[in-house]
Amino acid sequence: MPDTADAVGSLAWDCLGGDASAYQFLSLAQSVALRTAQSDRIQLNADGEIALIETAATQVESMSGRFTAVYLGTPVWQAARLVGHVVSELIAQVQDGLVVRSLDPVSAMVVMRKAMHVAS
């Protein structure tokens, strides 16, 4: 993860009540659909949790096992608005077109850099 110290420090400071972080943890509250699309994208629900993962990988329907479900740089959308890009990857168990929720933090969350903090 590039700029790990910056992301971790920013998230820790935000938790301690400092300035709002440029980063945000995104988590899987439950298993979510992994759907084929023209490009990679994460869709968030109103609560800011991952609701859908779209991938340009055409073989997704036949995938089963532990795979990278979200790649570094994937855009994150909420309510038809780009809210950021992930700066980590989500390596998770995939079964029957679903990314399965896990207690393992690596398989349950990604770190997003908020769009308002990304240079145009």
Side-chain angles (χ1 to χ4, degrees):
M1 181 175 142
D3 304 316
T4 303
D6 181 46
V8 171
S10 180
L11 287 163
W13 185 245
D14 184 45
C15 289
L16 293 170
D19 296 330
S21 177
Y23 299 90
Q24 177 180 339
F25 285 114
L26 302 177
S27 63
L28 295 167
Q30 57 191 15
S31 296
V32 299
L34 179 63
R35 187 176 357 173
T36 303
Q38 289 199 309
S39 59
D40 294 347
R41 176 187 289 209
I42 294 176
Q43 297 280 349
L44 302 181
N45 63 21
D47 295 326
E49 298 166 333
I50 299 171
L52 172 68
I53 299 171
E54 296 176 320
T55 180
T58 56
Q59 71 279 15
V60 72
E61 290 89 13
S62 61
M63 291 171 57
S64 188
R66 192 165 170 85
F67 299 99
T68 302
V70 174
Y71 291 96
L72 183 67
T74 297
V76 180
W77 290 78
Q78 185 176 34
R81 186 173 64 92
L82 179 67
V83 295
H85 290 81
V86 298
V87 296
S88 65
E89 295 187 335
L90 177 66
I91 301 167
Q93 186 69 27
V94 176
Q95 291 177 295
D96 301 322
L98 292 175
V99 177
V100 180
R101 170 74 164 106
S102 169
L103 295 178
D104 172 16
V106 173
S107 299
M109 71 177 58
V110 292
V111 178
M112 173 186 74
R113 182 163 176 82
K114 297 176 186 174
M116 66 184 106
H117 296 281
V118 176
S120 300

